[in-house]
Amino acid sequence: MQISIIGINGVPEVRAGDDLPNLIVVGCEATGVVLQAGDVLVVTQKVVSKAEGRLVDLAEVEPSPFALQYAERWGKDPRQIEVVLRESVRIVRMDKGILITETRHGFVCANAGVDASNVPGGHTVSLLPNDPDGSAARIREVIRNKTGVDVPVIISDSFGRAWRNGIINIAIGVSGLQPLRDYRGQDDPYGYRMSATVIAVADELASAAELAMGKVEACPAAVIRGYPYDAGEATAQELVMEPGRDMFR
């Protein structure tokens, strides 16, 4: 198997209300990439949130007493803490100035995905899309209509991991492919029948794409070519562990 990852440069600065799929097509043309059947398109959450207007001006945020107290203790901006609290349905852990929370999507992550990087204004933060799976489906549909090629779309975002240093990209939105590949019931080359192996394919593709997109290179999308994914209409919600199996809840 040979897999290639092509970063899509040339995408203009995305603003609220922009036609993001069209900008991605423009970026593909500028990069010299012609989408093909079998490609997978990975798009960063940040540009999706920008296009959907999921930005908050901190100057317009009135922090609660709880946010003020926590921010003062750890030297944080109480307005940003307040936005994190508003985007959370549950606080999982709070210590050392870090809030680990559960979002309304079911994601458990730092600061509910609220992020001040790669957004203009100096006092602006981005929020996760309201419906990342819906966002992926819309981008896929528009690109299919514009190019005639149906490529699966993954919306990616950076998440930390409880027992590993460094962050990786994971899939928070999926359209057009099965996010999990189940090997249970299959035999390995030595005849051992696997009983627990389920691969988070969408997460691995999202993380691989980041190697081509980078963090400060203004490259908000990438095309993965050559990976034999399983087509399907599942969503990234399949990647969220149900509470009954969560040993750390």
Side-chain angles (χ1 to χ4, degrees), residues 153-173:
V153 174
I154 295 173
I155 308 299
S156 68
D157 194 17
S158 299
F159 273 44
R161 299 160 297 162
W163 298 281
R164 304 283 288 181
N165 288 321
I167 59 175
I168 63 171
N169 265 21
I170 70 165
I172 64 169

Side-chain angles (χ1 to χ4, degrees), residues 54-59 80 115-126:
R54 293 284 289 162
L55 302 176
V56 173
D57 184 349
L58 293 180
Q80 187 164 342
D115 188 7
S117 67
N118 289 307
V119 290
H123 296 284
T124 302
V125 294
S126 73

Side-chain angles (χ1 to χ4, degrees), residues 156-237:
S156 68
D157 194 17
S158 299
F159 273 44
R161 299 160 297 162
W163 298 281
R164 304 283 288 181
N165 288 321
I167 59 175
I168 63 171
N169 265 21
I170 70 165
I172 64 169
V174 170
S175 178
L177 59 77
Q178 296 292 346
L180 297 169
R181 178 166 288 176
D182 191 345
Y183 286 91
R184 290 174 297 183
Q186 298 186 38
D187 293 340
D188 71 9
Y190 300 95
Y192 175 79
R193 179 147 297 181
M194 290 181 283
S195 60
T197 303
V198 180
I199 304 298
V201 168
D203 283 346
E204 293 192 332
L205 291 172
S207 193
E210 186 187 24
L211 298 175
M213 293 188 290
K215 286 297 182 189
V216 296
E217 287 78 9
C219 181
V223 170
I224 298 176
R225 182 164 292 167
Y227 179 74
Y229 64 85
D230 298 320
E233 297 304 325
T235 71
Q237 284 299 304

